[in-house]
Amino acid sequence: MMSKKLKIAVLVSGSGSNLQVLIDQMQAGKLNVDIIGVISNVADAYAVTRAKNAGLRTVVLSHVPNGKRMGIKTFEKHTLELLSEWQPDVVVLAGFMRVLSAEFIAQVPCPMINLHPSLLPNYKGLDTHARVLAAGEAQHGCSVHVVTAELDAGQVLTQAVLAVRHHDTAQSLQQRVQKLEHQLVPFTLELMSKGVLDLNHLQQSANFVALPYRLWLD
C-alpha cells in the first residue's frame, strides 16, 4: 500500500511526552510523518523545550504584553493564521488543555485528532482514571478521536485497551495508560499515512473493519 509522508502540526500544553515519541520515531525513520510546527498555549511547558531541542518550528501563544493569559479567541485567531500558513494534513492535540470553540474547529484547514485517556464514549472529560476505578471497570485505556465541537464526541478512530488490576490506583492507571498512548498515537498516524484511515472519507476507510480499530496492549 502506498504511504504518504503526513504533514502534522501539534498543539501542546504540558510535558509533551507524546510529542517526544513522535519526534523520536520521525527522526529514526520509523514513522512517515513530518512535524511542520508545534504550538503551545503554555510558555514554560516542557513540550516547548522538546520541540526546540528537536529543531522544530515552535510558537508559544501564551501571554500578551501586559502579562495576562491570552484569551482563547486571540489564541484561536493566531493559531488559525499559523495553520493556514503551514497547511498541515492533520492537527494533533497532544495533551492540549484548552477547550476550542466550534467556530475555530470549523475553520481549521484540515482534520484534527485528539488523544483522550479513556475508552470513549465512556468517561469523557477529566479525572478518567479515578472515575474508572470508582465504577469498578474491568478494562480501561485510551482513544484517538476526531475533534468536533462537542467535547470528546467525535468519531473514535483507534483505541488501546488494558485490564484494570485489583491494586491499581489512579496514579498507576495513569502511568499504564500513558504507555499505551505512546503506542496508539504513532499507530494512528501510520494508518493515516498509509491511507487505511482517511479522515476526509471515514466511511470508505472503515469498509473492512468497523471503527474504532482496537489494540489490546496490556
Side-chain angles (χ1 to χ4, degrees):
M1 184 176 291
M2 289 293 290
S3 185
K4 166 194 172 186
K5 182 159 281 193
L6 206 63
K7 296 187 299 178
I8 64 173
V10 186
L11 270 58
V12 296
S13 299
S15 71
S17 65
N18 278 290
L19 172 64
Q20 189 65 58
V21 169
L22 297 181
I23 291 170
D24 291 346
Q25 294 204 14
M26 177 185 72
Q27 292 181 338
K30 295 179 179 178
L31 186 61
N32 199 21
V33 301
D34 181 14
I35 303 172
I36 60 174
V38 175
I39 300 171
S40 176
N41 70 314
V42 178
D44 59 354
Y46 190 58
V48 174
T49 300
R50 295 180 191 272
K52 289 182 176 178
N53 286 346
L56 300 177
R57 181 164 36 183
T58 308
V59 178
V60 175
L61 299 175
S62 176
H63 297 90
V64 290
N66 62 10
K68 293 183 179 179
R69 189 182 186 207
M70 181 180 287
I72 189 64
K73 292 297 183 186
T74 306
F75 172 87
E76 290 182 345
K77 175 180 179 291
H78 291 306
T79 299
L80 281 173
E81 290 171 353
L82 289 168
L83 295 178
S84 178
E85 174 191 342
W86 296 351
Q87 288 295 302
D89 297 313
V90 64
V91 174
V92 179
L93 306 187
F96 182 74
M97 298 304 292
R98 294 193 83 169
V99 176
L100 298 165
S101 72
E103 292 79 11
F104 172 84
I105 293 168
Q107 292 180 68
V108 171
C110 64
M112 281 196 296
I113 60 173
N114 180 53
L115 173 67
H116 184 74
S118 81
L119 299 176
L120 293 172
N122 300 323
Y123 304 103
K124 299 176 182 178
L126 301 175
D127 302 318
T128 60
H129 312 300
R131 290 159 61 201
V132 162
L133 288 174
E137 298 283 5
Q139 294 183 347
H140 187 34
C142 52
S143 307
V144 173
H145 67 95
V146 177
V147 176
T148 61
E150 185 179 350
L151 186 66
D152 299 330
Q155 171 68 58
V156 180
L157 303 171
T158 57
Q159 293 182 321
V161 186
L162 54 72
V164 178
R165 298 170 182 162
H166 71 276
H167 58 269
D168 266 322
T169 64
Q171 183 178 12
S172 70
L173 260 188
Q174 179 182 10
Q175 292 170 347
R176 293 179 64 209
V177 169
Q178 188 175 61
K179 291 180 180 178
L180 302 192
E181 294 173 0
H182 293 168
Q183 299 174 74
L184 189 65
V185 176
F187 172 76
T188 307
L189 292 171
E190 190 68 14
L191 291 181
M192 293 173 62
S193 75
K194 291 180 177 177
V196 177
L197 274 176
D198 182 348
L199 299 197
N200 295 306
H201 303 93
L202 275 177
Q203 292 305 313
Q204 289 93 320
S205 67
N207 278 342
F208 300 104
V209 180
L211 294 176
Y213 293 96
R214 269 199 158 194
L215 302 176
W216 182 266
L217 294 176
D218 202 3

